[in-house]
């Protein structure tokens, strides 16, 4: 290669590497702000601020959803399989909201460690399958076998 | 080896190759896209969780995929512009930037329309969505910067530097869903792993991705030819080419 | 076929508006992009052709120009 071109190439590579390092350090420093939500482990460890609008995300714990029969009030626990946080919310839930599904809730953590949400969004995972396959998986899980996909990772 | 490389940079040589390739690219691309979309819309089974709204994936993923690929191609061309001063590389960047802009917009738009029924919101400032919005602005910036500088050579260099600065955004888009907590789910298609969907869903998706690649190839050839005609209009071969097409 | 009828296909279990909005936007924008690119190419070729022709006629017409201006009167006839 021509020496001038070699020199230009070196400059270009240094330029890209320099910017990558700068952006990498910035995003590393700001990682808590880039994270969309706190997970239940962080919240129960006291990392999330109290009485400030934050988001909490995780999976709706199986069997934890309590719907108030007279109003739109819902209580449920959000878990990441290490810790769980109680959430209360008044309003219409998204269609995909269900036990065992991922959610991201926006609201405030009160002094008692309860999360009072004013918006609940559904979070789904990257697994797509036809309804029949999902039924078959659920059936085999009930029979004591491990489901092949959903079981091996917390998919929230 | 370098001789072949320099021959590749000859606008006249490229013009001829492009003319021969274009019909195949267009026909193949439209055919594959149509097959993928018809299969995906009408024949693929619905998703157990999202029902039929997931069918948006058959255009959301191709546009988002292409939007990032096009930017990577532009970054490679930018290196070639800066190091080898090859005219054709700069022609490529200028010809495809508007296409990238449209594809990024479509990825964001279809994502928003898909987000409403599934997540419950059109937009959220999570890392994936925000970095994709930055990609849209980068494409816009490249087009604007090119228009703002009159001198062809300085425009080429300035645009190439901007494209290279922006390329750090690409790994951020790709890994945002793994590095940070986001509302957006991780990728369904990965190069190294099996897709997280059954074949009757991922085959049509793959078809429409490949189809869109070919359509993009056609658009790139066509727009590069236009740019070459504008730039080389004083040369003998362009004159001969244009006058030969006169009826 | 994943749907029983055309109506079911169009409504997509209530998700129809979302799905069709996306596909509509995709096809419209792609078509506009493609048509615009073809038209621009045609316009560029056309403008090049006109330039070359005017150059040609200037080269050829250099000797006949005096006569031409003499016979052709560029004054309105009314």
């Amino acid at each position: 290669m021509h020496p001038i071109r070699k020199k230009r190439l070196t400059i270009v590579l240094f330029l890209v590497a320099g910017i990558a390092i700068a952006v990498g350090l910035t995003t590393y420093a700001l990682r808590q702000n880039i994270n969309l939500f706190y997970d239940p482990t962080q919240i129960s460890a006291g990392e999330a601020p109290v009485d400030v609008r934050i988001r909490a995300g995780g999976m709706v714990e199986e069997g934890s959803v309590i719907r108030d029969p007279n109003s739109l009030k819902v209580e449920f626990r959000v878990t990441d399989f290490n810790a769980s946080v109680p959430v209360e919310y008044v309003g219409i839930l998204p269609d995909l909201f269900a036990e065992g599904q991922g959610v991201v809730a926006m609201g405030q953590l009160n002094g008692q460690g309860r999360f009072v949400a004013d918006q609940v969004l559904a979070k789904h995972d990257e697994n797509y399958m036809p309804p029949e396959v999902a039924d078959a998986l659920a059936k085999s899980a009930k029979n004591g076998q491990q489901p092949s996909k959903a079981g091996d990772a917390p998919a929230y | 080896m370098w001789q072949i490389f320099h021959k590749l940079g000859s606008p006249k040589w490229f013009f001829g190759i492009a003319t021969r390739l274009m019909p195949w690219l267009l026909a193949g691309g439209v055919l594959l896209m149509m097959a993928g979309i018809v299969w995906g819309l009408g024949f693929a089974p619905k998703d157990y969780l999202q029902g039929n709204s997931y069918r948006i994936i058959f255009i959301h993923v191709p546009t988002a995929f292409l939007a990032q690929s096009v930017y990577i191609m532009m970054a490679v061309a930018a290196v070639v512009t800066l190091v080898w001063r090859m005219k054709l590389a700069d022609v490529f960047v200028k010809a495809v930037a508007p296409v990238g802009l449209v594809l990024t917009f479509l990825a964001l738009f279809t994502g928003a329309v898909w987000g409403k029924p599934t997540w419950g919101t059109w937009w959220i400032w999570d890392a994936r969505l925000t970095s994709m919005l930055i990609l849209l602005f980068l494409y816009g910036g490249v087009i604007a910067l090119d228009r703002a500088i009159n001198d062809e050579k300085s425009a080429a260099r300035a645009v190439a530097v901007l494209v290279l600065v922006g390329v750090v955004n690409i790994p951020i888009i790709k890994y945002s869903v793994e590095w940070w907590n986001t509302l957006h789910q991780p990728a369904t298609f990965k190069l190294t792993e099996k897709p997280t969907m059954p074949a009757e869903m991922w085959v049509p998706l793959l078809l429409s991705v490949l189809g869109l690649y070919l359509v993009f190839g056609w658009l790139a050839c066509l727009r590069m030819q236009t740019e070459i005609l504008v730039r080389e209009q004083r040369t003998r071969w362009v004159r001969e080419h244009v006058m030969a097409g006169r009826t | 076929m994943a749907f029983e009828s055309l109506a079911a296909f169009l409504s997509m279990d209530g998700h129809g508006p979302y799905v069709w909005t996306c596909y509509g936007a995709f096809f419209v924008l792609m078509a506009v992009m493609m048509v615009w690119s073809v038209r621009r190419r045609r316009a560029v070729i056309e403008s090049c052709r006109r330039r070359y022709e005017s150059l040609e006629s200037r080269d050829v017409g250099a000797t006949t120009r005096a006569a031409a201006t003499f016979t052709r009167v560029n004054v309105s006839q009314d």
Side-chain angles (χ1 to χ4, degrees):
Chain A
M1 212 195 289
H2 198 282
I4 289 182
R5 288 180 187 146
K6 205 170 248 174
K7 196 176 139 207
R8 285 191 203 136
L9 186 61
T10 326
I11 293 171
V12 165
L13 290 179
F14 268 104
L15 170 84
V16 173
I19 295 159
I21 291 167
V23 172
L25 289 175
T26 314
T27 49
Y28 182 73
L30 294 173
R31 66 193 178 285
Q32 196 47 257
N33 293 321
I34 296 173
N35 276 332
L36 185 70
F37 52 83
Y38 290 90
D39 53 39
T41 309
Q42 289 172 307
I43 293 173
S44 57
E47 282 176 38
V50 173
D51 289 335
V52 177
R53 261 177 78 85
I54 55 164
R55 291 197 193 90
M59 210 171 220
V60 181
E61 207 170 280
E62 298 277 355
S64 73
V65 179
I66 305 159
R67 287 174 200 263
D68 184 356
N70 302 318
S71 69
L72 286 171
K73 193 172 175 198
V74 188
E75 284 179 41
F76 54 90
R77 297 182 71 83
V78 166
T79 178
D80 62 355
F81 304 107
N82 283 322
S84 78
V85 174
V87 177
E88 55 179 77
Y89 171 66
V90 180
I92 297 164
L93 290 162
D95 295 348
L96 260 58
F97 180 89
E99 288 178 2
Q101 283 297 325
V103 285
V104 173
M106 177 114 195
Q108 294 182 347
L109 198 62
N110 69 13
Q112 291 87 51
R114 284 179 78 79
F115 192 85
V116 184
D118 50 48
Q119 187 190 23
V120 172
L121 301 176
K123 179 168 164 49
H124 62 86
D125 61 22
E126 71 276 30
N127 296 309
Y128 299 85
M129 54 185 130
E132 309 85 65
V133 178
D135 288 348
L137 276 181
K139 220 174 264 171
S140 67
K142 240 179 223 163
N143 293 343
Q145 290 159 309
Q146 272 293 311
S148 62
K149 266 178 190 163
D152 48 17
Y156 55 83
Chain B
M1 187 227 151
W2 292 109
Q3 255 122 25
I4 301 170
F5 188 70
H6 286 288
K7 195 182 167 195
L8 263 171
S10 144
K12 185 187 172 186
W13 181 84
F14 171 81
F15 200 95
I17 292 282
T19 306
R20 257 183 286 163
L21 272 178
M22 275 164 61
W24 299 104
L25 288 172
L26 184 64
V30 169
L31 218 68
L32 281 178
M33 277 233 75
M34 281 301 151
I37 284 175
V38 169
W39 188 346
L41 268 178
F43 296 91
K46 66 178 182 184
D47 180 53
Y48 76 108
L49 190 61
Q50 299 180 33
N52 285 316
S53 66
Y54 100 98
R55 292 181 197 281
I56 294 170
I57 203 173
F58 298 108
I59 46 171
H60 176 71
V61 166
T63 48
F65 209 80
L66 255 291
Q68 295 170 66
S69 295
V70 170
Y71 200 90
I72 294 171
M73 294 182 224
M74 276 170 53
V76 172
V79 173
V80 175
T81 302
L82 289 176
V83 177
W84 286 274
R85 306 271 191 258
M86 190 188 282
K87 273 192 257 169
L88 203 57
D90 178 49
V91 167
F92 175 79
V93 171
K94 280 171 194 175
V96 302
V99 183
L101 184 83
V102 169
L103 289 170
T104 312
F105 172 79
L106 276 172
L108 284 167
F109 180 80
T110 54
V113 176
W114 191 6
K116 187 63 190 167
T118 37
W119 299 340
T121 184
W122 302 101
W123 182 263
I124 189 159
W125 293 99
D126 87 346
R128 172 55 77 80
L129 277 66
T130 309
S131 54
M132 206 58 191
L133 187 66
I134 291 172
L135 184 69
L136 185 79
F137 294 154
L138 280 170
Y139 277 121
V142 166
I143 297 167
L145 187 63
D146 177 47
R147 298 253 167 109
I149 304 173
N150 279 328
D151 178 54
E152 200 176 273
K153 272 187 189 153
S154 11
R157 281 176 214 178
V159 163
V161 170
L162 175 61
V163 170
L164 277 180
V165 168
V167 82
V168 287
N169 190 37
I170 295 292
I172 294 181
I173 296 177
K174 180 157 172 29
Y175 293 107
S176 55
V177 287
E178 288 165 31
W179 290 343
W180 301 292
N181 297 330
T182 54
L183 187 61
H184 195 287
Q185 69 284 3
T188 300
F189 262 149
K190 284 177 196 137
L191 288 177
T192 49
E193 290 166 44
K194 268 174 52 181
T196 58
M197 40 167 48
E200 65 262 40
M201 289 176 177
W202 70 254
V203 174
L205 183 53
L206 188 66
L207 289 181
S208 56
V209 170
L210 291 178
L212 196 60
Y213 257 105
L214 295 184
V215 171
F216 165 77
W218 178 77
L219 268 171
C221 284
L222 177 73
R223 299 175 60 86
M224 282 175 80
Q225 283 194 333
T226 311
E227 183 73 25
I228 288 171
L229 287 175
V230 172
R231 289 190 188 195
E232 309 270 302
Q233 53 182 297
R234 285 194 176 74
T235 61
R236 197 192 175 91
W237 73 268
V238 167
R239 186 167 179 162
E240 276 163 8
H241 175 83
V242 169
M243 296 316 262
R246 174 173 60 166
T247 41
Chain C
M1 193 78 194
F3 298 94
E4 265 130 46
S5 63
L6 186 67
F9 178 60
L10 290 179
S11 85
M12 295 246 160
D13 297 334
H15 290 309
Y18 299 106
V19 175
W20 296 118
T21 307
C22 285
Y23 280 84
F26 175 76
F27 282 114
V28 167
L29 276 183
M30 286 308 283
V32 166
M33 188 88 211
M34 288 160 87
V35 169
W36 175 57
S37 301
V38 170
R39 284 219 180 136
R40 205 178 106 72
R41 191 192 129 103
R42 209 176 287 157
V44 165
I45 290 180
E46 188 60 21
S47 82
C48 283
R49 193 181 58 85
R50 250 181 274 129
R51 233 192 85 222
Y52 297 144
E53 273 173 359
S54 75
L55 281 177
E56 253 172 30
S57 65
R58 202 190 299 161
D59 296 341
V60 176
T63 46
T64 52
R65 182 155 296 159
T69 44
F70 199 74
T71 46
R72 220 172 276 160
V73 185
N74 290 326
V75 172
S76 167
Q77 298 293 314
D78 20 293

